[in-house]
Structures are given as C-alpha cells and as structure tokens.
Amino acid sequence: MSKFDMLIVGSGFAGAVMARKVADQGKRVLIVEKRAQIGGNMYECFDEAGIRIHLYGPHIFHTNNQEVFDFLKQYSEFYPYEHKVLGRIDGKLVPIPFNFTSLEMLFEKEKADKIKEKLKEAYPEQEKVSILDLIKNEDSWIKEFGEFVFEKVFVHYTAKQWGIPIEEVDQSTINRVPVVLGYDDRYFKDSIQYMPKDGFTKLFENMLDSDKIEIKLNKNITEMLRLDFETKKVYVEEEEFTGPIIFTGAVDELLDFKYGRLPYRSLDLVFENYPKTYYQTNSVVNYPNEEEFTRITEFKYLTNQEKEGTTSILKEYPLKYDGNNKKCLDPYYPIINGENLNMYEQYKKEVEQFTNIHLVGRLAEYKYYNMDAVVARALEVSKEFLK
Ligand code: FAD
Ligand code: UDP
C-alpha cells in the first residue's frame, strides 16, 4: 500500500472524478471496487441483442454547472439530448412533468382554459410550481386542479417508489418533479442537457486511463480495511495507511452496521427484449396508477441507437433494500427523514474520528444527489487536497 498516495473506495462518479484529479497532479491512486466493473451506477453495457443498456437504471445527464460539463467533456464527446417523459393517466399518455398539454389532454377545453387562466393569474412570473403549493392554494379552481394532479401523478407513484404514504416522503423529493405552467415538455429544465456519445462506461474508461491509477475490482474494502478505534489509525491489509482515503460506499457497511442498517430503497430491474423496432413512442413512460413497476425505459431512445427489429426495455419495481435478497442487492435511494438522518450523523461522527477518511458521494453522504452534484462535490473535495 505504501506505493499509493491515496486510497479510493468505489469507482462511481465520486471515486472516479477524485482519482482523475489527484492523478493529474502526479499522485498515485488505488481504487478498490466491489463490483466486477467500474462506473458505479452509471455503468452501461451491451445486452444480447447488441443494445447498449444502463444496467443500474436510466441515467440522463443534465446540469446548470458549466464547470462540471467542461470537466466531463475532456473524457467524451457529448450530443444534445433533451429527456421527455410521458405518464399513463386515465388511459392517455400525457407529458410529465404535468404541463398545459397534459391539462388540455385530460380536461374539457372550457375547463382547461379556465384553469390555465387561473394559474397564470396566481403565478404570473413562474414557469413551474410545486404540486405541494398547488394543493394548498385557496382558489377552488387551482386547488381542485392541484388535487387532481396530486392524485393522478404523485400519490400512487410515490407510494410504489418509496413504500410509504406520500405524506411521509421528504418534500424535496416530491419537488424534484414540478407542475409546468406552459408547454415546455422536457423532464429537466437545466441549461445543459447532453449525453455522452459512446456512453458512460466509455467516459469512465477514459477518465480512469492514467498510469497513476490502479484499479482493484471484485474487492470489498471491508476485507482489506481495519479501523483501530483506540489509536484512530487505519490499516490496509494490516499495514498502517496515513494517506487520504475517499470512501464512496454506504457508511453503515464501513462501520459494520454498529448503529443499525441505514435504510435505502432499492429496485428490482427487469430487462426485456422484443423482436420489433420500437416498444413505445419515447424513452420513458411512467405508470403512476397502474402496474407494480413505476416506469418503462426504452434504451434505444436514451442512448441514440438505431436497430431494426429489436429493442430492449427496462421495468423498475421498487423494493426495500435488503443486502441478502438477490432482487435488491443494491442500495439506490437514501430515505430522507429525521430518524435516518440521525442514524447517518452517528456514523459520520464515528468516521470523523479517523481524520484521513473522507465521505464523498450519494451513498457515503446519504444524499439524493444527481450525478452532476456528485461530480461537483468530488471536484470541490479534490481542490481541498490539491491546495
Ligand atoms: P455510486 O455510483 O453508487 O458508486 C459507488 C461505488 O462504490 C459503486 O461502484 C460500489 O460498487 C462501490 N462500493 C460501495 N461499497 C463498497 C465497498 N465496501 N468496497 C468497494 N466498493 C464499494 N442522476 C442523474 O444526474 N440523472 C439521472 O437520470 C439519474 N438517474 C438515476 C436512476 C437511478 C435508478 C438511480 C439509482 C440513480 C440515478 N441518478 C441519476 C443518480 C446517480 O446514479 C448518482 O448521483 C451517481 O451515480 C452517484 O455516484 P457515486 O459515485 O456517489 O455512487
Ligand atoms: N414522482 C411521481 N410521479 C411521477 C414522477 C415522479 O410521484 O410520475 C415523484 C416520486 O415521489 C419520485 C420523485 O417524484 O420518487 C422524484 O422523481 P424523479 O423522476 O426525479 O426520480 P428518480 O429519477 O431519481 O427515480
């Protein structure tokens, strides 16, 4: 271990960005990754039909952070891609986030016109509004409209996704998907919306291509790492390691679940292939009120691939995370509430006793980060080290 200046646990965006920034300064980095491949949840591969799929769920890049995009562009070409989602409501496929087109498709013209007028009056300068604001509005037209959207788009999808009633889900999660006060039918409103030309795995391969970076796959760090709570020293394969350790995995696992298991939501990801050119009309269709899955992704739209007579899709069935159940081996979504954040804080405090261990990323920080936020965070942390 003495030949390395830094140890990084995990090769998702948090680990890979840190590794690259540090390696560019001439430092030697060891990445330990428990999966058989790099990229964390961004990993893509080709399925049997030769279609590039996102193995850990659909991933779309969008950001307002130019520094993040400039950094990533060094490792891949990107093409413009504006993500659009349809939701199946009352037998119709309408734009999600719910917008004026969705409204016109589901309401009689006269009623739709009246609701649009009321919304424009109530929120004159806004392009979007939270569903949680709409249902609190005192105007009966707006409130009734809000309750319709709440019920048809949010209540049942959220119950499926999180396994708890919508009232118990953190408001910031619900507010990720607004109601749009206009005809913009893009899922994201960020100023930068692109996808990597040859996919995320290729981007990661390029990012980690450095003679200063060594990667050990199929290795859980818990098999190599020992924390001595008396001396506050860290041992890697029984050799003391004093260099920085960037940990991007789940922090409860690092500390052997001593305060209990941090709850996560997982997904049973069911991939299917069909002998036809397309399965649906666009990349993602949400099923708020029917089916046990939440959404269907058709990869050819998402990854800009053309192939006659074959197409691959993904259905996402939400599940409670349970490391012992084969269907939900991966912790995907931290479940944000007071109790869980308290448990997380206990873990964090414990780790902070070891001054060379740093927690970075969606799992390690127990935050519902999008990929651009993880890249931004890793860039920021790497600046601290390179000062
Ligand atoms: P991860 O990608 O989870 O990487 C952590 C790595 O650490 C993993 O490779 C893991 O195997 C490894 N590891 C963990 N524990 C250990 C250990 N003990 N020993 C060794 N290795 C270990 N973001 C967007 O911006 N747009 C999207 O469209 C989008 N869609 C998403 C869809 C789904 C279904 C999910 C779950 C997330 C989505 N995200 C999206 C979020 C995005 O995936 C994350 O922000 C990003 O991938 C997090 O990167 P990370 O490095 O923090 O974590
Ligand atoms: N959501 C919903 N209906 C939808 C889409 C989203 O109720 O049709 C809610 C749901 O609670 C979900 C949250 O909004 O967990 C965030 O959705 P997003 O698409 O951002 O989730 P992700 O892509 O991260 O799974």
Side-chain angles (χ1 to χ4, degrees):
M1 197 55 213
S2 54
K3 67 174 173 150
F4 295 105
D5 300 300
M6 182 181 271
L7 168 65
I8 296 182
V9 182
S11 63
F13 260 133
V17 171
M18 285 295 306
R20 181 69 206 200
K21 290 300 283 183
V22 169
D24 280 348
Q25 299 295 316
K27 305 258 189 276
R28 294 151 308 166
V29 181
L30 174 66
I31 299 181
V32 176
E33 167 57 63
K34 73 174 170 187
R35 288 185 182 155
Q37 74 276 330
I38 58 168
N41 287 342
M42 308 302 308
Y43 178 70
E44 291 178 61
C45 57
F46 288 89
D47 68 7
E48 284 176 8
I51 294 167
R52 181 153 47 78
I53 58 167
H54 292 191
L55 200 62
Y56 300 100
H59 280 82
I60 300 104
F61 178 68
H62 56 99
T63 190
N64 288 316
N65 187 327
Q66 188 65 44
E67 187 192 357
V68 165
F69 191 38
D70 288 344
F71 174 77
L72 295 178
K73 274 193 295 184
Q74 298 175 87
Y75 309 107
S76 175
E77 279 180 48
F78 280 79
Y79 61 91
Y81 172 82
E82 292 187 325
H83 190 52
K84 294 188 180 174
V85 173
L86 297 174
R88 205 174 138 80
I89 293 170
D90 292 350
K92 292 188 178 149
L93 288 175
V94 308
I96 303 287
F98 203 94
N99 67 5
F100 283 179
T101 306
S102 324
L103 174 60
E104 289 165 9
M105 286 174 78
L106 293 170
F107 286 79
E108 304 258 309
K109 182 169 180 338
E110 225 170 277
K111 201 166 179 187
D113 287 345
K114 184 75 183 172
I115 295 168
K116 280 187 283 181
E117 192 189 305
K118 286 278 185 183
L119 287 168
K120 282 184 196 154
E121 246 173 57
Y123 308 100
E125 303 296 328
Q126 287 176 230
E127 288 174 357
K128 55 187 182 171
V129 57
S130 159
I131 184 63
L132 302 172
D133 286 348
L134 280 187
I135 55 174
K136 279 188 252 146
N137 197 294
E138 281 175 4
D139 182 288
S140 62
W141 284 86
I142 296 180
K143 190 171 162 57
E144 196 187 310
F145 165 67
E147 280 166 356
F148 173 87
V149 178
F150 189 62
E151 166 70 20
K152 299 280 181 177
V153 177
F154 289 92
V155 170
H156 306 290
Y157 187 106
T158 300
K160 273 196 270 189
Q161 175 72 4
W162 297 96
I164 45 177
I166 192 163
E167 293 73 24
E168 291 171 31
V169 173
D170 191 62
Q171 296 199 352
S172 64
T173 299
I174 307 298
N175 287 337
R176 286 168 63 93
V177 179
V179 172
V180 172
L181 304 171
Y183 293 91
D184 185 347
D185 60 356
R186 298 168 307 158
Y187 200 65
F188 306 111
K189 308 301 172 208
D190 293 347
S191 56
I192 300 170
Q193 303 193 29
Y194 287 85
M195 287 291 265
K197 186 169 152 284
D198 300 311
F200 286 105
T201 302
K202 196 81 202 140
L203 183 154
F204 273 81
E205 282 168 6
N206 292 337
M207 198 190 302
L208 293 175
D209 181 15
S210 159
D211 59 5
K212 303 279 179 223
I213 301 174
E214 196 173 308
I215 305 170
K216 205 178 255 206
L217 295 175
N218 295 308
K219 191 81 188 162
N220 193 319
I221 196 66
T222 53
E223 296 161 21
M224 296 170 67
L225 202 69
R226 184 167 66 80
L227 307 181
D228 187 325
F229 285 88
E230 264 174 36
T231 60
K232 315 294 180 216
K233 287 181 178 171
V234 181
Y235 295 83
V236 179
E237 289 179 326
E238 288 313 322
E239 187 189 331
E240 187 186 347
F241 186 69
T242 53
I245 299 174
I246 307 298
F247 184 79
T248 77
V251 71
D252 54 345
E253 187 186 8
L254 177 67
L255 295 181
D256 205 17
F257 310 104
K258 66 190 288 185
Y259 298 115
R261 282 187 178 263
L262 273 171
Y264 288 93
R265 224 35 203 158
S266 187
L267 298 169
D268 181 13
L269 298 171
V270 176
F271 295 87
E272 294 171 1
N273 179 266
Y274 289 86
K276 51 185 175 185
T277 302
Y278 288 107
Y279 179 88
Q280 58 193 30
T281 55
N282 68 313
S283 58
V284 172
V285 176
N286 285 4
Y287 289 80
N289 306 310
E290 317 153 34
E291 311 289 357
E292 283 177 36
F293 49 80
T294 49
R295 56 188 176 191
I296 296 185
T297 298
E298 185 163 8
F299 287 105
K300 289 201 303 188
Y301 292 111
L302 204 65
T303 49
N304 205 20
Q305 299 168 91
E306 284 180 18
K307 239 175 202 294
E308 281 294 310
T310 182
T311 192
S312 299
I313 64 158
L314 166 64
K315 294 175 178 167
E316 295 173 53
Y317 294 85
L319 291 168
K320 183 178 186 298
Y321 168 62
D322 171 358
N324 298 318
N325 177 348
K326 272 213 173 112
K327 279 190 172 170
C328 46
L329 284 174
D330 292 295
Y332 286 127
Y333 295 91
I335 303 175
I336 307 302
N337 65 34
E339 194 184 333
N340 298 348
L341 291 180
N342 280 342
M343 190 195 287
Y344 174 75
E345 281 306 316
Q346 277 183 298
Y347 278 117
K348 189 172 160 226
K349 262 199 192 128
E350 191 93 11
V351 172
E352 278 168 355
Q353 297 177 53
F354 299 87
T355 51
N356 59 334
I357 303 185
H358 307 270
L359 303 174
V360 185
R362 176 151 157 153
L363 294 173
E365 294 179 65
Y366 205 65
K367 284 195 175 151
Y368 196 165
Y369 275 141
N370 283 334
M371 70 176 96
D372 65 321
V374 171
V375 175
R377 168 88 175 117
L379 289 175
E380 182 193 303
V381 176
S382 67
K383 278 180 202 155
E384 288 300 308
F385 283 109
L386 301 174
K387 254 183 200 165

